Amino acid sequence: MDISAKHQDMTTVLTNVIVLGIFEDDKILNPVQTKTDKALKGIISNGLIKTEGFKGKYSDTVIVPTQLKIPADKIMLVGLGKKKEFDCSKLRELSAKIIKQLDKTLNIKNVSIEPLGLKCGNFNIQECANAITEGILISTYDYDKYKTKKNQQQIKKVRIVLEDAKEEKAAKTGVNNGKILCSAMDFTKDLINEPAQNATPEAIAQIAKNLSLDLGLTFDVYSKKQLAQMNFNAFLAVGQGSEQEPKFIHLTYKPTKKAKKKIILIGKGITFDSGGLDIKPANSMLTMKTDMSGCATVLGVIQAIAALKPDIEVHALSALCENMPSGKSYKQGDVLTAKNGKTIEVDNTDAEGRLTLADVLTYADELNADEVIDIATLTGACIVALGQNITGIMGNNQEMIKKIINIGKKSGENLWELPIFDDMQEMLKSDIADMRNTGSRYAGASVAGRFLQNFTKSKNWAHIDIAGTAFIDKPYKELNKGATGVMVRTLTNYIMSL
Ligand code: BES
Ligand code: MN
Ligand code: ZN
């Protein structure tokens, strides 16, 4: 779908449908709406608002034919709700709803939309155009790779029509940034949705290599043999039960100017999590092809970063392997010596993500970055605590966490901080090693965070648990069900804000 922003007179747009927004608390038409209303012989003021009683309640819509070809055959009014409450998140969600509805309406290929709620909403023209673009592109994502019959999209063009020529530059930036983020999200979603039979460690390493060639990033990949020499012992233990070779990948974006900061992103890359010898019940295993969502996320973010080109050096790291039961699997009671030398007794082979992340966190220490952020489908406990629509975040720097949460809010993604207390290390106590890989039944997401903390020296470390949010079974706001690409927006916008 082609989305653009242009300064134009709404009465001459020549489109299938014009979309206009009405606030609930004052149904006064803005100047563009007044002009359009005149061109359409009072269909808005007399027809829809007076006769039909359109109230402007948030997300209410009405579409009617105009009986004219110029400027449009149909007009759609959408309710924006209360002025005070209308923000970018509401606009994103609403844009998704509008496009879904129009796509089901007969004969609509071409849409002209005003920057909804612009003069009254809590955003500027760039943010407005950005939210409309993201809402539309995110909601039209569809994973049909393995369907022999593909869904056809009816709508081909959406134009955001601007009243003022001075708005055009900022609006175009908003649209363009939205497109960059959404194509990164599409990449991430595709990779998560891809079945584990194809998205193997080796295949993902190849995809990452191709990505780096396309974008001019540095790419390194390490084999099992090299990783053994580099002491990735906890990681290799997790992968040893599988027929698939483990891979560790490292992509780097370097700005042309001197970098202001150096940021490391680490994504959990379990390409299938059967649980290992602590095998999962069938139902819990059903979606475990998505256990590499963290990896897919950091690859999506670095793709967006390569397009947006901030003066920040960004590293994307992921240790990729399968967690499988076999005669070669790592076992309950095994003691692993992690890359940083600490020993871990394996209490549960299904708590594998933290073991793989541990070695990558240690590897990251050697890169001396300003900040380290890991992102992982790490714990069922995080889903119990926060559900499928709120991402968990924790770490050792309050300011950094607060900033990420705030940027998430603006980006349309909810995060909530979970605590890590030093004394949680008690729960990880082992009789024979420095620690175990699991605690008790309680505070599972936090204890996993506490475990990870043993392997980073960074003073600016955040851990993001997307176990609930990476893949959802009900649509939520602009998101369809399935892979969400969650945190691609937040992390990219966070890096852009540094
Ligand atoms: N990959 C899972 C976590 C998960 C669960 C992600 C559901 C997405 C949906 C992780 O490796 C895991 O199995 N965690 C265990 C840890 C436990 C054994 C301490 C869990 O949460 O049950
Ligand atoms: Mn597991
Ligand atoms: Zn897992």
Side-chain angles (χ1 to χ4, degrees):
M1 192 180 300
D2 174 39
I3 305 183
S4 58
K6 201 178 171 216
H7 164 58
Q8 212 177 347
D9 183 342
M10 193 62 103
T11 61
T12 64
V13 286
L14 273 175
T15 183
N16 296 124
V17 62
I18 290 176
V19 182
L20 302 170
I22 305 280
F23 279 107
E24 185 179 348
D25 24 15
D26 86 47
K27 290 183 272 302
I28 300 165
L29 302 188
N30 67 34
V32 171
Q33 294 172 348
T34 306
K35 259 176 86 180
T36 313
D37 188 40
K38 273 202 193 113
L40 296 173
K41 308 197 167 97
I43 193 172
I44 303 170
S45 57
N46 286 324
L48 292 170
I49 295 179
K50 253 193 216 132
T51 320
E52 300 288 324
F54 185 77
K55 295 268 183 335
K57 253 181 62 195
Y58 178 71
S59 100
D60 272 4
T61 57
V62 52
I63 310 174
V64 289
T66 61
Q67 319 288 5
L68 298 165
K69 283 281 161 236
I70 301 169
D73 347 308
K74 293 189 179 71
I75 179 115
M76 179 187 215
L77 289 192
V78 298
L80 306 180
K82 303 211 168 67
K83 281 186 183 169
K84 281 212 306 300
E85 290 167 15
F86 197 65
D87 59 10
C88 281
S89 288
K90 284 247 162 75
L91 176 55
R92 225 181 261 110
E93 182 179 351
L94 187 61
S95 307
K97 193 180 168 190
I98 292 167
I99 222 68
K100 286 210 157 139
Q101 191 164 340
L102 289 176
D103 209 48
K104 283 186 284 190
T105 307
L106 209 62
N107 291 331
I108 294 188
K109 288 206 173 70
N110 192 310
V111 178
S112 290
I113 185 167
E114 68 172 343
L116 298 170
L118 178 61
K119 301 262 151 66
C120 307
N122 307 306
F123 42 73
N124 59 34
I125 181 66
Q126 181 177 329
E127 292 164 326
C128 180
N130 182 257
I132 292 174
T133 306
E134 288 183 0
I136 293 173
L137 293 178
I138 289 169
S139 69
T140 46
Y141 175 81
D142 180 28
Y143 188 69
D144 60 5
K145 181 173 171 188
Y146 294 103
K147 297 257 191 204
T148 49
K149 220 177 125 201
K150 318 278 181 201
N151 285 336
Q152 284 299 320
Q153 205 142 61
Q154 178 186 222
I155 298 174
K156 303 285 179 242
K157 269 192 182 157
V158 178
R159 176 163 289 169
I160 303 170
V161 177
L162 307 165
E163 182 185 6
D164 189 341
K166 287 198 280 286
E167 294 170 328
E168 208 175 78
K169 191 159 176 266
K172 281 189 189 316
T173 306
V175 170
N176 195 41
N177 289 351
K179 286 182 184 170
I180 288 171
L181 275 173
C182 291
S183 93
M185 283 173 81
D186 286 354
F187 172 90
T188 299
K189 291 188 249 189
D190 282 348
L191 200 51
I192 296 171
N193 283 323
E194 184 72 53
Q197 76 195 109
N198 296 331
T200 59
E202 200 179 333
I204 295 179
Q206 188 60 47
I207 289 168
K209 183 180 178 180
N210 294 342
L211 188 72
S212 65
L213 289 173
D214 286 349
L215 304 173
L217 306 170
T218 315
F219 176 76
D220 292 295
V221 59
Y222 299 91
S223 68
K224 186 171 162 184
K225 203 169 143 208
Q226 290 170 305
L227 291 164
Q229 280 161 0
M230 292 155 77
N231 286 315
F232 274 66
N233 306 317
F235 166 51
L236 289 176
V238 172
Q240 77 193 30
S242 165
E243 297 288 322
Q244 301 293 333
E245 282 277 308
K247 298 278 177 205
F248 171 61
I249 57 172
H250 179 172
L251 291 82
T252 311
Y253 161 81
K254 280 206 171 110
T256 38
K257 277 196 223 150
K258 190 176 175 306
K260 284 191 288 185
K261 274 200 167 155
K262 182 163 163 183
I263 307 297
I264 297 182
L265 304 174
I266 300 173
K268 172 173 169 181
I270 302 295
T271 60
F272 188 75
D273 182 11
S274 70
L277 291 177
D278 278 297
I279 196 159
K280 287 180 185 291
N283 246 331
S284 313
M285 217 187 287
L286 263 180
T287 55
M288 282 303 128
K289 68 170 184 183
T290 70
D291 213 20
M292 33 55 74
S293 296
C295 171
T297 307
V298 303
L299 292 179
V301 172
I302 207 163
Q303 172 182 324
I305 289 298
L308 294 166
K309 300 190 175 23
D311 292 331
I312 309 276
E313 185 173 315
V314 181
H315 296 254
L317 313 178
S318 185
L320 291 151
C321 72
E322 259 183 357
N323 184 22
M324 296 294 276
S326 81
K328 289 189 192 151
S329 296
Y330 77 134
K331 296 176 275 291
Q332 294 82 344
D334 282 358
V335 175
L336 317 174
T337 305
K339 183 167 166 59
N340 72 351
K342 292 189 186 174
T343 57
I344 307 161
E345 182 185 5
V346 177
D347 191 54
N348 190 316
T349 62
D350 198 12
E352 84 298 337
R354 63 196 75 183
L355 295 171
T356 66
L357 292 170
D359 286 343
V360 185
L361 283 164
T362 304
Y363 174 93
D365 275 343
E366 294 163 13
L367 297 172
N368 276 318
D370 295 289
E371 295 182 9
V372 176
I373 304 173
D374 76 72
I375 170 153
T377 45
L378 204 63
T379 66
C382 189
I383 317 178
V384 173
L386 301 176
Q388 287 199 312
N389 304 317
I390 303 169
T391 295
I393 181 166
M394 58 207 93
N396 58 10
N397 179 329
Q398 275 300 304
E399 236 174 276
M400 179 179 164
I401 291 171
K402 282 224 175 76
K403 203 168 166 208
I404 297 174
I405 293 174
N406 274 329
I407 291 199
K409 199 181 244 168
K410 276 200 187 153
S411 311
E413 299 185 319
N414 310 318
L415 294 116
W416 201 259
E417 186 184 358
L418 297 172
I420 299 180
F421 279 73
D422 280 344
D423 59 22
M424 285 174 170
Q425 189 68 25
E426 277 296 303
M427 304 218 239
L428 294 167
K429 226 171 165 162
S430 159
D431 289 337
I432 64 165
D434 296 342
M435 69 193 93
R436 308 185 294 177
N437 71 333
T438 58
S440 68
R441 237 152 41 80
Y442 302 126
S446 293
V447 174
R450 185 66 191 86
F451 178 89
L452 295 177
Q453 203 172 7
N454 288 287
F455 301 92
T456 180
K457 291 203 182 96
S458 175
K459 294 278 171 288
N460 305 313
W461 161 71
H463 158 60
I464 299 181
D465 195 331
I466 53 168
T469 49
F471 192 89
I472 57 181
D473 43 40
K474 272 202 220 68
Y476 177 66
K477 300 206 285 188
E478 61 272 18
L479 299 170
N480 296 328
K481 67 175 188 170
T484 59
V486 70
M487 293 300 119
V488 170
R489 282 182 276 173
T490 300
L491 289 175
T492 305
N493 291 336
Y494 174 68
I495 292 169
M496 295 308 293
S497 80
L498 294 172

